[in-house]
């Protein structure tokens, strides 16, 4: 008997028929002797519907109180899901109980709409598991120290599931989604993309941070930090397939960097359309400028990604960085009202028509020339690079958004990612 966490995405919970199929799948695992905790998302489209309603009645300039209510509203989507799934499991003859994040409780900080989990009290979960119940917990949400309902941001149910798995020391966390694993890139952009049998946590972390939408980055961070075995697999396989087959399907995210993984220089191409570039022009070229600019942005709870400071000329320089596209207007407002007057900068400009494309692979550690191959490939397609960022196992470039699909397809070919995995990796 193993302690297993299942997470189901919004598409998997998209109708009562699909919820019944989820219940049948979970019941199969229970009947095989496993203890089960399930973390479902809201039904597909429900969170967007709720946020759309909020937008219709929102004040012209929303303040902090608005975001508190936004979380109160958005959290109800998952509450519907857990209740329906518990009822569907009861119809299967399985004893099940559902909880909201605040009932467990899942403690978070107070950053409304993108809160971070601080702790999980597993006492209630363990008591129910010991009593033979399936425990169903809302994803995407928690409660802060003041008793306010908080949400974790888009994709937060993945993080909830992995955090719960870490708290209860689960044997494995299975992320059921509308794709059957992690691919070398998005198959909708590159039809030749391959499903990876396994990928390291480091690579998955880079893929998630660079725009791969299969898993939310914080869920991978949690899994890596607490060493939670994790598998991405499809919820659209028949619910009654043999459990042994299901347990070994999809993509395993692992710490093992064996021979089969090391032979692949690049494991995948990630991309992110949700980027925007901000440039602060004509700032004084002296120590502390970056801290002043980015400090003001951080105080507004805006995440910064790629950063570039140009070479100074005549005592002035330009400072550029990328933010999420949804944060562009706020970032520009903060910089124009707080930073430009304080620094005496000449201007602030924003560009929402950019994207980020990345090559990722642990094989880069032992292979030289990956960057030059990447840059030559993009140059051959006439694609200009605006910004570059690197890590030990990743190279990212910021380019014009209109060239994104061309860049992804060209790089996928350049690094032979369309070739069978056993050919590339000796698997």
């Amino acid at each position: 008997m193993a302690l297993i966490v299942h997470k189901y995405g919004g598409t998997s919970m998209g109708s009562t028929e699909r919820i019944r199929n989820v219940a049948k799948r979970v019941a199969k695992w229970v009947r095989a002797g496993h203890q089960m905790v399930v973390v479902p998302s809201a039904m597909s489209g429900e969170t967007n519907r709720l946020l759309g309603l909020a937008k219709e009645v929102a004040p012209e300039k929303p303040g902090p109180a608005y975001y508190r209510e936004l979380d109160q509203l958005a959290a109800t989507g998952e509450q519907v899901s857990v209740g329906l799934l518990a009822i569907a499991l009861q119809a299967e003859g399985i004893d099940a109980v559902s909880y909201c994040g605040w009932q467990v409780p899942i403690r978070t900080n107070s950053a409304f709409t993108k809160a971070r989990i601080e702790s999980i009290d597993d006492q209630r979960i363990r008591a129910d598991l010991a009593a033979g119940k399936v425990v169903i917990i809302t994803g995407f949400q928690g409660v802060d120290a003041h008793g306010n309902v908080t949400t974790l941001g888009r994709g937060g149910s993945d993080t909830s599931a992995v955090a719960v798995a870490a708290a209860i020391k689960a044997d494995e966390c299975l992320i059921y989604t509308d794709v059957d694993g992690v691919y070398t890139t998005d198959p909708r952009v590159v039809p030749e993309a391959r499903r990876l049998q396994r990928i390291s946590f480091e690579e998955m972390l880079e893929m998630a941070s660079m725009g791969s939408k299969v898993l939310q980055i914080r869920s991978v961070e949690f899994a890596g930090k607490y060493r939670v075995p994790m598998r991405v697999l499809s919820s659209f396989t028949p619910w009654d397939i043999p459990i042994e087959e299901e347990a070994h399907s999809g993509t395993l995210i692992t710490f093992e960097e064996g021979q089969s993984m090391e032979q692949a220089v690049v494991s995948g191409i990630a991309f992110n359309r949700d980027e925007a570039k901000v440039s602060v022009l004509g700032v004084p070229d002296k120590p502390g400028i970056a801290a002043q600019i980015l400090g003001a942005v951080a105080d507004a709870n805006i995440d910064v990604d790629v950063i570039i400071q140009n070479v100074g000329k005549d005592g002035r320089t330009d400072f550029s960085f990328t933010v999420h596209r949804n944060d562009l207007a706020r970032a520009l407002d903060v910089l124009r009202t707080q930073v430009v007057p304080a620094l005496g900068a000449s201007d602030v400009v924003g560009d929402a028509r950019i994207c980020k494309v990345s090559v990722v692979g642990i094989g880069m550690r032992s292979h030289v020339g990956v960057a030059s191959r990447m840059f030559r490939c993009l140059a051959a397609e006439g694609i200009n690079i605006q910004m570059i960022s690197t890590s030990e196992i990743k190279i990212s470039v910021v380019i014009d958004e209109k060239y994104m699909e061309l860049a992804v397809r060209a790089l996928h070919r350049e690094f032979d990612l369309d070739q069978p995995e056993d050919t590339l990796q000796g698997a």
Side-chain angles (χ1 to χ4, degrees):
M1 179 167 68
L3 175 51
I4 304 291
V5 173
H6 279 194
K7 183 267 174 179
Y8 291 92
T11 311
S12 312
M13 301 290 294
S15 65
T16 51
E17 181 184 358
R18 288 181 178 175
I19 290 171
R20 277 196 294 268
N21 284 336
V22 168
K24 290 177 185 297
R25 191 182 300 272
V26 173
K28 176 182 70 177
W29 284 73
V30 172
R31 292 176 184 129
H34 300 296
Q35 290 184 305
M36 298 297 299
V37 176
V38 186
V39 179
S41 296
M43 297 174 75
S44 57
E46 180 63 7
T47 304
N48 284 339
R49 186 186 73 85
L50 293 168
L51 295 179
L53 292 173
K55 195 172 181 180
E56 287 182 28
V57 298
E60 190 174 335
K61 287 196 172 181
Y66 168 75
Y67 293 102
R68 190 251 183 212
E69 301 309 326
L70 210 57
D71 277 3
Q72 185 85 344
L73 175 69
T76 62
E78 277 70 19
Q79 188 171 344
V80 171
S81 288
V82 295
L84 287 172
L85 183 54
I87 293 168
L89 275 164
Q90 290 162 11
E92 290 292 318
I94 302 294
D95 199 359
V97 60
S98 69
Y99 294 115
C100 294
W102 59 268
Q103 292 175 301
V104 174
I106 297 172
R107 298 284 183 191
T108 74
N109 63 14
S110 300
F112 295 117
T113 74
K114 44 184 168 182
R116 289 186 174 271
I117 295 173
E118 295 179 342
S119 66
I120 295 178
D121 186 339
D122 65 346
Q123 187 174 348
R124 201 168 190 175
I125 301 171
R126 291 193 180 280
D128 284 327
L129 290 172
K133 297 178 181 178
V134 172
V135 180
I136 309 167
I137 303 170
T138 52
F140 177 62
Q141 65 185 254
V143 61
D144 71 5
H146 307 290
N148 298 306
V149 172
T150 57
T151 68
L152 310 182
R154 283 312 178 97
S157 294
D158 289 348
T159 304
S160 302
V162 177
V164 167
I168 64 176
K169 297 181 171 54
D171 294 287
E172 191 164 5
C173 180
L174 277 59
I175 309 288
Y176 287 87
T177 182
D178 54 358
V179 296
D180 61 352
V182 180
Y183 279 71
T184 50
T185 195
D186 190 335
R188 291 169 296 185
V189 174
V190 183
E192 300 80 19
R194 286 182 297 104
R195 180 172 60 82
L196 299 165
Q197 293 175 2
R198 58 172 54 201
I199 187 172
S200 74
F201 274 105
E202 288 180 274
E203 289 172 314
M204 193 65 241
L205 192 59
E206 292 286 12
M207 293 278 278
S209 66
M210 292 305 117
S212 173
K213 298 294 192 292
V214 176
L215 290 172
Q216 193 202 42
I217 182 170
R218 279 185 288 165
S219 70
V220 186
E221 288 173 346
F222 253 101
K225 182 177 180 180
Y226 295 102
R227 303 186 77 85
V228 177
M230 199 174 179
R231 186 176 293 274
V232 178
L233 64 171
S234 173
S235 62
F236 294 122
T237 54
W239 68 265
D240 57 352
I241 64 170
I243 198 166
E244 297 79 11
E245 179 184 337
E246 186 173 350
H248 293 92
S249 63
T251 300
L252 176 66
I253 303 169
T254 176
F255 284 94
E256 297 172 11
E257 297 181 7
Q259 183 67 27
S260 64
M261 299 187 79
E262 289 177 359
Q263 290 182 11
V265 181
V266 171
S267 294
I269 312 293
F271 57 88
N272 192 350
R273 289 185 174 94
D274 300 327
E275 299 269 324
K277 184 170 73 170
V278 178
S279 296
V280 187
L281 309 177
V283 298
D285 188 15
K286 62 183 183 182
I289 291 301
Q292 283 184 260
I293 294 172
L294 297 180
V297 173
D299 289 343
N301 205 22
I302 297 171
D303 291 327
V304 170
D305 188 16
V306 184
I307 303 169
I308 286 183
Q309 182 170 335
N310 294 333
V311 176
K313 184 179 180 182
D314 300 326
R316 295 273 168 174
T317 188
D318 297 336
F319 188 90
S320 299
F321 56 91
T322 61
V323 297
H324 193 282
R325 199 169 289 186
N326 291 345
D327 290 328
L328 176 60
R330 275 199 307 137
L332 292 174
D333 183 58
V334 166
L335 292 168
R336 285 169 179 155
T337 57
Q338 300 177 30
V339 175
V340 170
L343 294 182
S346 60
D347 198 7
V348 177
V349 294
D351 183 1
R353 297 183 304 277
I354 57 119
C355 68
K356 183 172 60 181
V357 177
S358 311
V359 297
V360 176
I362 57 174
M364 288 188 199
R365 288 178 177 148
S366 53
H367 291 78
V368 297
V370 176
S372 61
R373 279 180 69 183
M374 181 183 190
F375 301 155
R376 274 199 306 270
C377 174
L378 295 175
E381 299 292 343
I383 300 171
N384 186 48
I385 298 171
Q386 300 180 25
M387 305 170 84
I388 301 169
S389 172
T390 66
S391 76
E392 194 178 22
I393 65 167
K394 171 238 17 175
I395 304 166
S396 297
V397 295
V398 173
I399 61 174
D400 193 307
E401 182 183 37
K402 67 184 179 184
Y403 295 122
M404 189 203 75
E405 293 193 6
L406 174 62
V408 171
R409 286 194 294 267
L411 290 169
H412 199 268
R413 284 194 307 270
E414 173 66 26
F415 291 102
D416 300 320
L417 292 175
D418 50 351
Q419 300 301 312
E421 191 169 9
D422 54 358
T423 302
L424 289 171
Q425 301 184 350

